[in-house]
Each structure stands twice: as C-alpha cells, then as structure tokens.
Amino acid sequence: LAWFNVGSLLYAGGDYASAKQALEQAIKLQPDYSDATFILALTEAKAGNKDAALTLLKRVLELNPGNPTALQAIAELQKPAKKSGR
C-alpha cells in the first residue's frame, strides 16, 4: 500500500518516471493489485508509452472484468490522434 500511495502522489505531481518505479514495486509485491496496475497504465500513457498502457489496462480487465474505468481508458487510448488545425 505504501508504494501505491507514493506512486499515486508522484503521478499526481507529474513525476511519471518516479511514479512508474514506485508503482512497479507495488505490483511486484502484490501482482494482482489492480489499482496500482491502473495508475501505472495512466503513468505509461502520460509518458507516451501507449502500448504499455494498453497492456496494463488489459491486465486490469483480467483482474476486474468489465471495469468501466479501464474500458473507458482503453477507448480513449485507441482513439485516433487529433490533427492540428494549422
């Protein structure tokens, strides 16, 4: 729980590299920790690692089938990138 809390705070503060390290520790200690997996997925998405984020979100769905928040996050990541109006 401590690693999850640290990782969540770092994520909220925009320190994605440190958040990733903390959240990976939480998952290493408790591989079925879906909340940590979800925040790690968001961290990967913010860092531009779309494929890693999608893989992690699919893991969240394995742990919590039908999770609407994970499904919504997957849908957002799979949307085509918006083109600039320039």
Side-chain angles (χ1 to χ4, degrees), residues 6-20 39 42-43 46-47:
V6 169
S8 296
L9 290 170
L10 290 166
Y11 170 80
D15 186 351
Y16 304 125
S18 297
K20 178 179 176 176
I39 300 297
L42 297 181
T43 301
K46 289 284 190 178

Side-chain angles (χ1 to χ4, degrees), residues 1-5 7-8 11 19-20 22-44 56-57 59-60 63-64:
L1 186 57
W3 284 114
F4 171 73
N5 289 334
S8 296
Y11 170 80
K20 178 179 176 176
L23 292 163
E24 286 175 339
Q25 283 297 320
I27 294 166
K28 182 179 178 182
L29 294 170
Q30 188 175 340
D32 61 347
Y33 198 165
S34 65
D35 289 345
T37 304
F38 181 76
I39 300 297
L40 180 56
L42 297 181
T43 301
E44 291 286 15
L56 289 161
L57 289 167
R59 174 69 177 143
V60 171
L63 297 168
N64 295 307

